[in-house]
Amino acid sequence: MFHEKSVTGHGAWNRLFDETIASLRFSVDGKEQTLEPTLSMMQDVSEEVRHKASDAIAATLKNNLRVFSLVTNTLAKDKEISDRWRKFGDVADSRHLANRVEREVVDALVAAVRAAYPRLSHRYYRLKAKWFGKDALNHWDRNAPLPQAPQRIYAWSDARETVLSAYAGFAPEMADIARRFFDERWIDAPVRTGKAPGAFAHPTVPSAHPYVLLNYQGKPRDVMTLAHELGHGVHQVLAAGQGALMAQTPLTLAETASVFGEMLTFRALLAKTTDVAPRRALLASKVEDMINTVVRQIAFYTFEREVHTRRREGELTADQLCEVWMGVQGESLGPAIKLQPGYETFWAYIPHFIHSPFYVYAYAFGDCLVNSLYGVYRRAEHGFVERYFDMLKAGGAKHHSELLAPFGLDATDPAFWNIGLSMIEELIAELEGMEG
Ligand SMILES: [Zn+2]
């Protein structure tokens, strides 16, 4: 019955959200445009452009808050009804079950990240404001490109050598698997008209081999993406032995090898980048990525928890939804980001809240887990490489506690998450040191 009713229940509300978002137009200098190009203007080099884009987003969202509030309230109620009939206790328990992770583990992650906000995002944005010659940045400058960040262009052959040598530095067998992707032409790299955007590694079926899609343009970011997708590729090759039903890992562990491969490559690039300006640019872009993956997604999760919990007592008004949003954003971004009028509406366009409630913590989970693993690796513990390969070969056949136990790690312990968070802190500290 739930399944049949979903067509006129949450399915219909999801569709209303999608159709509304697609129909919205945002007015910048008299030009009417859709959401995506307006959002990407918030990363423009010109502060004026970023400011105008932010105002345009706020104005249109404000005009449509009634619909977004109704959609949000209805979906939270719909979920509460299903959760009650299915006897889920906590608002996020159904997601935890789907992710094969326990509530205590996610709680430990969330507690560790929230406690670290001052040491991570607050501290980094204070530094970023200083680079712009200010005490604090307006919210539209949060993802502004850094002042004078020169970018080296990497030829495809350089990218290949960078990633393969970073992988070989960890384990020659890992580079051997990754090399097959180049030698056997399993990668579609160039940008072409009509080609899908973004990047992915697809495992196809275990009896065949994975394929990687990229849109390679030679930026340092593109080298990291190559390292990321090859990490997935290596994981998919190693896990293929589990067969079609068990090879795939749950969401929370799906990004392990990719983020780890990216980290190895980032470290290799960093070691080769000794000039101050490019080194700062490389470090800062890594830190911003990590803050957007870890801090921002945990703030999103905190927003959802509060909305769903309060919805159990009754509907939230648009103003109340905006207040909850401003509360979690202020807490996570800190005093060096000024939340200007209009920002209170920015919860309304985030598709994850509508399409897959509580999904967002999985991003933070994956990133922090890998940082913690990398922390163990750096302490050069004997036998790390073998244990790491065993973990990847297990695919989806083992629980995270079984996978992490050989490393002496326990995800229910906030100290485990702190190993990973301290890696981000270390990068921020190096950036601060470059100031003097
Ligand atoms: Zn990935």
Side-chain angles (χ1 to χ4, degrees):
M1 191 187 80
F2 274 156
H3 184 67
E4 284 197 36
K5 278 284 198 186
S6 72
V7 180
T8 51
H10 70 80
W13 292 95
N14 269 268
R15 185 171 153 193
L16 175 61
F17 175 84
D18 291 344
E19 292 186 0
T20 304
I21 284 283
S23 72
L24 295 184
R25 293 298 175 267
F26 302 83
S27 172
V28 181
D29 287 335
K31 196 179 150 222
E32 301 288 309
Q33 50 186 36
T34 55
L35 180 61
E36 276 308 317
T38 316
L39 282 173
S40 63
M41 285 172 85
M42 296 207 25
Q43 299 186 28
D44 196 274
V45 285
S46 148
E47 176 172 359
E48 198 195 336
V49 171
R50 295 193 300 269
H51 186 174
K52 279 182 184 167
S54 172
D55 284 351
I57 292 169
T60 300
L61 292 180
K62 196 169 182 191
N63 285 336
N64 291 275
L65 270 191
R66 192 176 57 81
V67 176
F68 290 120
S69 304
L70 182 59
V71 169
T72 302
N73 272 294
T74 307
L75 283 170
K77 183 63 188 173
D78 183 81
K79 185 171 179 307
E80 186 271 323
I81 296 169
S82 307
D83 282 359
R84 187 157 31 88
W85 280 84
R86 289 174 164 136
K87 300 197 172 12
F88 283 114
D90 183 75
V91 289
D93 276 356
S94 57
R95 176 64 60 192
H96 301 334
L97 181 68
N99 285 345
R100 284 191 261 160
V101 65
E102 300 66 38
R103 196 197 293 169
E104 309 83 84
V105 172
V106 179
D107 289 350
L109 163 70
V110 173
V113 173
R114 286 178 80 176
Y117 287 164
R119 314 198 304 273
L120 304 174
S121 42
H122 298 191
R123 189 171 161 199
Y124 174 74
Y125 291 129
R126 203 156 51 229
L127 190 59
K128 182 163 182 174
K130 215 168 106 190
W131 293 335
F132 283 79
K134 296 175 178 179
D135 292 328
L137 295 170
N138 292 311
H139 70 257
W140 52 78
D141 293 331
R142 187 173 58 86
N143 284 324
L146 299 173
Q148 326 125 8
Q151 280 201 328
R152 190 187 143 182
I153 295 298
Y154 289 81
W156 178 245
S157 54
D158 293 341
R160 173 194 153 115
E161 283 326 301
T162 304
V163 176
L164 290 181
S165 68
Y167 275 27
F170 174 74
E173 309 93 284
M174 193 153 103
D176 291 343
I177 300 172
R179 193 172 294 112
R180 293 185 62 195
F181 282 75
F182 296 94
D183 293 349
E184 299 179 41
R185 303 174 62 88
W186 297 347
I187 308 175
D188 185 325
V191 179
R192 283 193 309 274
T193 357
K195 180 172 162 179
F200 60 80
H202 198 288
T204 70
V205 287
S207 53
H209 62 77
Y211 278 106
V212 167
L213 177 135
L214 300 172
N215 280 282
Y216 188 81
Q217 298 183 74
K219 294 189 292 281
R221 177 75 254 158
D222 295 329
V223 180
M224 303 297 279
T225 304
L226 172 64
H228 181 103
E229 300 310 335
L230 283 177
H232 279 305
V234 167
H235 197 172
Q236 289 160 356
V237 168
L238 289 172
Q242 295 292 341
L245 296 179
M246 296 311 288
Q248 198 149 345
T249 51
L251 196 67
T252 38
L253 293 162
E255 294 298 331
T256 309
S258 55
V259 180
F260 197 85
E262 233 186 289
M263 182 58 85
L264 293 171
T265 306
F266 167 73
R267 293 283 168 183
L269 279 180
L270 191 65
K272 278 197 279 188
T273 312
T274 45
D275 292 346
V276 174
R279 188 174 173 90
R280 177 185 298 159
L282 191 62
L283 277 166
S285 77
K286 185 71 181 164
V287 168
E288 291 202 3
D289 275 357
M290 286 171 144
I291 287 177
N292 283 330
T293 308
V294 176
V295 170
R296 189 165 170 78
Q297 305 303 326
I298 292 302
F300 281 179
Y301 178 69
T302 309
F303 171 79
E304 288 188 282
R305 289 201 60 87
E306 193 168 339
V307 169
H308 283 258
T309 305
R310 285 175 59 175
R311 179 64 187 87
R312 291 183 167 188
E313 308 304 320
E315 280 199 36
L316 284 84
T317 63
D319 283 348
Q320 286 171 324
L321 289 164
C322 293
E323 268 166 43
V324 177
W325 174 254
M326 290 299 265
V328 299
Q329 291 304 317
E331 181 200 11
S332 63
L333 298 172
I337 299 284
K338 284 187 275 187
L339 304 177
Q340 299 291 4
Y343 192 65
E344 70 277 2
T345 60
F346 276 46
W347 55 271
Y349 76 82
I350 314 275
H352 292 83
F353 297 158
I354 303 304
H355 296 151
S356 36
F358 303 110
Y359 182 97
V360 287
Y361 76 75
Y363 295 115
F365 191 105
D367 216 49
C368 283
L369 182 127
V370 170
N371 287 337
S372 295
L373 263 183
Y374 192 83
V376 174
Y377 166 59
R378 272 210 311 189
R379 285 186 221 144
E381 275 186 35
H382 185 68
F384 183 93
V385 171
E386 292 71 26
R387 275 176 260 162
Y388 182 73
F389 272 88
D390 286 343
M391 180 172 85
L392 299 189
K393 281 180 195 157
K398 284 185 182 170
H399 186 257
H400 66 80
S401 58
E402 268 182 283
L403 292 172
L404 292 175
F407 300 94
L409 295 173
D410 170 13
T412 52
D413 179 4
F416 161 77
W417 299 106
N418 277 321
I419 307 174
L421 296 172
S422 66
M423 296 258 313
I424 310 179
E425 271 184 85
E426 231 178 78
L427 301 179
I428 299 172
E430 179 174 349
L431 280 167
E432 284 173 342
M434 292 171 110
E435 291 308 284

